[in-house]
Amino acid sequence: MRLRHVSLVTLIALTLVGTSACAGGPPQSFAQTAPPPAPDYGRPEAWLALPGQDGPQRSVPRGLTPVGEADAPADVFFIHPTTSSASDVWNVPWDAPNTAAPLNPAVQGAQISVFNGCCRLYAPRYRQATLKGLSDDGAVAPAYSDLRAAFRTFVAEHNDGRPFILASHSQGTMHAIRLVQEEVLGTPLQDRLVVAYLIGGYVPADFGDAGLPVCDSARQTGCVVSWNAGKIGNGLSRIVINDKTYWWRGALKRDEQAPALCVNPLSWRAGDAETPEPASANPGSLPFPARPYPETRTVLPPLDQGLTGARCHAGMLEVDLASTAGPTYSDNLTRLAGSYHLQDYGLFYGALWANAVDRVAAWRGAHPSGGQ
């Protein structure tokens, strides 16, 4: 990645952990340091979410019921975003405690949990690049290497030939773009891929050229969904999708960026629309949690109904939140850049919950003898 990405890194640092994460940096270059030891995905502690772990990912808002793990018709492999506040290293140890990776339980409760209505939940810990490390290709490499190893372990030892969803957010989406190209497309796994929800990061709108069609209806399967939410009319929010380096068909692509993919989670249609889907089409939003984050399963607040409509415009998902949203849906990144990056999942929690259930059912309907 190049230096022009640093402004986004700075804004996200301000959002997640305040000004302390923006100061300083690793004392040596990545080439002069050794990354932390790699995780062993045969160990349960190497997973942020794993069946049998009764953590925040098993939480649900009032009114929703999670599927029992023994009865779940599919699996989800979730790649978490940056959860650490570290600024003095390039990569965070995979086993960093919540004191060093404070957003771990928040991500479990606010993002991974959206799939507990359809799926068994798998989310590997990995040597995530820090916000500083995201500016260095070398620091990104150990993170991706871990995730590839975790995915191969998931396929070989856990999935048992079942349909699966690939989902991600932010840094996780950067890695997922490569993972789906290298490990899924053109392999027998592609037929088992229900959908790839690659949210909260740049995803090229021409993903179909690599072999994975863009989703354009609510029950389409074997396709990719992405969106990045920002305030309507605020061009600064585009910092999340503009000028990106990304993995594309075997190599890092640094120039001639394709337009960003946007699929509207209130209509599940791809591409720009003149008229927003109305707020009445939004079945419920869940704000990103406030500290202290629950570290065990809990009952989440009831979803806020009809909080915002949405439309795709020039690659961004533009939203206009109702005045009733209040401060729980706003953060530094919203105030500074008009971006709802932390709320990408939460603003459309109810829609995503139901859509994951629907797409799994559609896959099952088309594959009556598929999976286990």
Side-chain angles (χ1 to χ4, degrees):
M1 293 187 181
R2 288 170 293 179
L3 208 54
R4 59 186 175 182
H5 292 198
V6 172
S7 55
L8 173 60
V9 168
T10 300
L11 287 172
I12 293 177
L14 284 167
T15 300
L16 299 183
V17 290
T19 56
S20 60
C22 302
Q28 296 177 308
S29 69
F30 178 80
Q32 294 174 304
T33 61
D40 174 3
Y41 291 107
R43 299 169 57 188
E45 55 266 34
W47 297 83
L48 190 62
L50 193 70
Q53 294 180 349
D54 197 25
Q57 66 271 15
R58 295 295 297 167
S59 302
V60 290
R62 294 187 185 94
L64 297 179
T65 303
V67 66
E69 291 180 334
D71 302 318
D75 297 335
V76 64
F77 185 87
F78 182 91
I79 305 178
H80 70 72
T82 307
T83 62
S84 173
S85 59
S87 62
D88 58 346
V89 295
W90 294 105
N91 294 89
V92 179
W94 66 266
D95 56 352
N98 290 346
T99 51
L103 291 187
N104 278 346
V107 166
Q108 289 171 298
Q111 295 183 343
I112 304 174
S113 70
V114 80
F115 299 106
N116 68 29
C118 67
C119 300
R120 299 187 306 193
L121 309 176
Y122 296 85
R125 299 176 184 269
Y126 62 100
R127 290 172 294 176
Q128 60 184 281
T130 61
L131 293 169
K132 298 288 187 181
L134 286 172
S135 64
D136 190 293
D137 293 343
V140 171
Y144 177 74
S145 176
D146 290 351
L147 292 166
R148 180 176 59 194
F151 184 73
R152 290 177 177 177
T153 300
F154 162 73
V155 171
E157 300 181 14
H158 297 283
N159 179 244
D160 298 325
R162 293 154 51 86
F164 68 95
I165 289 170
L166 183 64
S168 59
H169 188 250
S170 197
Q171 177 178 170
T173 289
M174 178 182 67
H175 300 306
I177 290 173
R178 181 175 180 180
L179 186 73
V180 73
Q181 292 177 67
E182 292 192 333
E183 299 293 316
V184 178
L185 300 187
T187 78
L189 290 175
Q190 186 165 359
D191 187 55
R192 303 213 313 265
L193 178 65
V194 176
V195 60
Y197 293 111
L198 310 186
I199 297 168
Y202 169 76
V203 175
D206 57 356
F207 221 110
D209 292 349
L212 187 64
V214 172
C215 296
D216 196 36
S217 65
R219 293 177 64 86
Q220 183 180 350
T221 61
C223 55
V224 59
V225 167
S226 183
W227 69 77
N228 290 272
K231 285 185 179 180
I232 189 168
N234 191 321
L236 189 56
S237 65
R238 297 184 59 81
I239 198 169
V240 180
I241 61 172
N242 282 353
D243 300 324
K244 297 303 174 188
T245 297
Y246 59 103
W247 189 264
W248 190 242
R249 306 179 79 170
L252 283 172
K253 187 169 182 177
R254 301 185 183 275
D255 298 301
E256 300 178 7
Q257 175 185 322
L261 174 61
C262 181
V263 175
N264 191 327
L266 301 184
S267 67
W268 302 106
R269 301 299 305 272
D272 287 2
E274 290 282 335
T275 305
E277 293 297 315
S280 59
N282 190 335
S285 303
L286 182 74
F288 198 79
R291 298 177 189 242
Y293 307 125
E295 298 190 11
T296 59
R297 182 173 60 166
T298 187
V299 177
L300 299 172
L303 298 180
D304 294 315
Q305 306 294 313
L307 188 71
T308 184
R311 73 162 182 170
C312 287
H313 178 70
M316 285 295 297
L317 184 68
E318 295 188 336
V319 300
D320 186 14
L321 272 64
S323 59
T324 54
T328 56
Y329 288 93
S330 182
D331 51 56
N332 286 332
L333 193 56
T334 310
R335 291 184 285 270
L336 291 169
S339 173
Y340 283 99
H341 186 68
L342 279 188
Q343 312 289 346
D344 282 323
Y345 271 74
L347 287 176
F348 307 100
Y349 191 100
L352 185 51
W353 167 286
N355 187 250
V357 172
D358 287 347
R359 289 192 200 267
V360 168
W363 190 97
R364 285 285 184 181
H367 302 77
S369 59
Q372 303 299 313

